[in-house]
C-alpha cells in the first residue's frame, strides 16, 4: 500500500529538522527497514508543512512495530520539540491523506480494459 501523511514542523525549527534528517541515526534507519517501511520520503515546505510518503504492507502494522522500538522512542522524543504539536510523539500526529489518483493504477486499468476488448474481438 502507498501512504501519504502530513504534519507540521515549527517554522523556527526547520533548520534543525533538516539538519537531523540529513544524518538520521543508522539504528533508526535499520529499524524502519526491519519494520517494513519502503520507499519512505519526507517533504518539507518553507512554512513547516511536512508531507511523508511510504510504501508498506500495512501502515498500522508498521507503525505498531515502530512503537515497540526503543530507538524509535528516543528519536520521537528528540524530534517532538520541533513539531507544532509537541505534546505527542511526531509519528502519532500524522494526518493520513486519502490517495485519489495514481498514474500506474490508472494506466493498468486502461491497459487491462484494452486487453479485454481486444480478446473479445478475437473471440468473435
Amino acid at each position: 500500500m502507498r501512504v501519504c501523511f502530513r504534519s507540521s514542523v515549527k517554522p523556527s525549527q526547520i533548520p534543525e529538522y533538516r539538519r537531523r534528517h540529513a544524518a538520521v541515526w543508522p539504528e533508526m534507519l535499520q529499524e524502519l527497514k526491519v519494520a517494513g517501511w519502503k520507499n519512505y520520503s519526507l517533504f518539507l515546505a518553507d512554512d513547516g508543512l511536512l508531507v511523508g510518503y511510504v510504501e508498506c504492507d500495512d501502515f498500522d502494522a508498521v507503525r505498531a512495530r515502530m512503537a515497540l522500538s526503543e530507538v524509535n522512542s528516543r528519536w520521537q522524543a528528540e524530534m517532538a520539540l520541533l513539531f507544532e504539536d509537541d505534546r505527542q510523539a511526531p509519528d502519532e500526529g500524522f494526518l493520513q491523506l486519502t490517495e485519489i489518483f495514481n498514474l500506474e493504477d490508472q494506466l493498468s486499468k486502461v491497459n487491462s480494459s484494452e486487453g479485454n476488448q481486444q480478446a473479445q474481438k478475437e473471440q468473435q
Side-chain angles (χ1 to χ4, degrees):
M1 78 185 302
R2 294 177 298 266
V3 178
C4 184
F5 56 86
R6 72 174 174 89
S7 192
S8 297
V9 175
K10 293 176 184 173
S12 64
Q13 296 299 321
I14 289 173
E16 180 63 14
Y17 187 87
R18 289 181 185 276
R19 186 188 69 74
R20 291 184 189 186
H21 279 82
V24 173
W25 306 334
E27 61 270 27
M28 181 64 174
L29 298 172
Q30 186 61 33
E31 194 66 33
L32 287 163
K33 182 176 178 146
V34 169
W37 295 64
K38 297 175 231 152
N39 202 19
Y40 180 31
S41 295
L42 294 171
F43 303 87
L44 183 61
D46 291 341
D47 66 356
L49 172 66
L50 179 70
V51 176
Y53 173 84
V54 65
E55 295 172 2
C56 58
D57 293 331
D58 179 328
F59 192 52
D60 291 334
V62 298
R63 289 179 70 195
R65 168 83 189 242
M66 290 303 292
L68 298 173
S69 164
E70 181 274 331
V71 69
N72 183 62
S73 295
R74 285 189 294 120
W75 179 264
Q76 297 305 323
E78 288 205 16
M79 297 302 294
L81 299 175
L82 306 180
F83 281 78
E84 288 291 347
D85 184 357
D86 57 12
R87 295 167 292 152
Q88 65 182 347
D91 62 348
E92 293 173 7
F94 293 159
L95 175 61
Q96 193 170 338
L97 305 176
T98 302
E99 182 178 39
I100 60 165
F101 172 81
N102 178 272
L103 177 61
E104 299 307 319
D105 287 351
Q106 292 287 329
L107 288 172
S108 179
K109 288 178 187 177
V110 168
N111 292 337
S112 177
S113 175
E114 289 173 355
N116 289 340
Q117 290 173 357
Q118 183 63 32
Q120 289 173 353
K121 286 181 184 177
E122 290 172 2
Q123 290 177 354
Q124 293 174 352

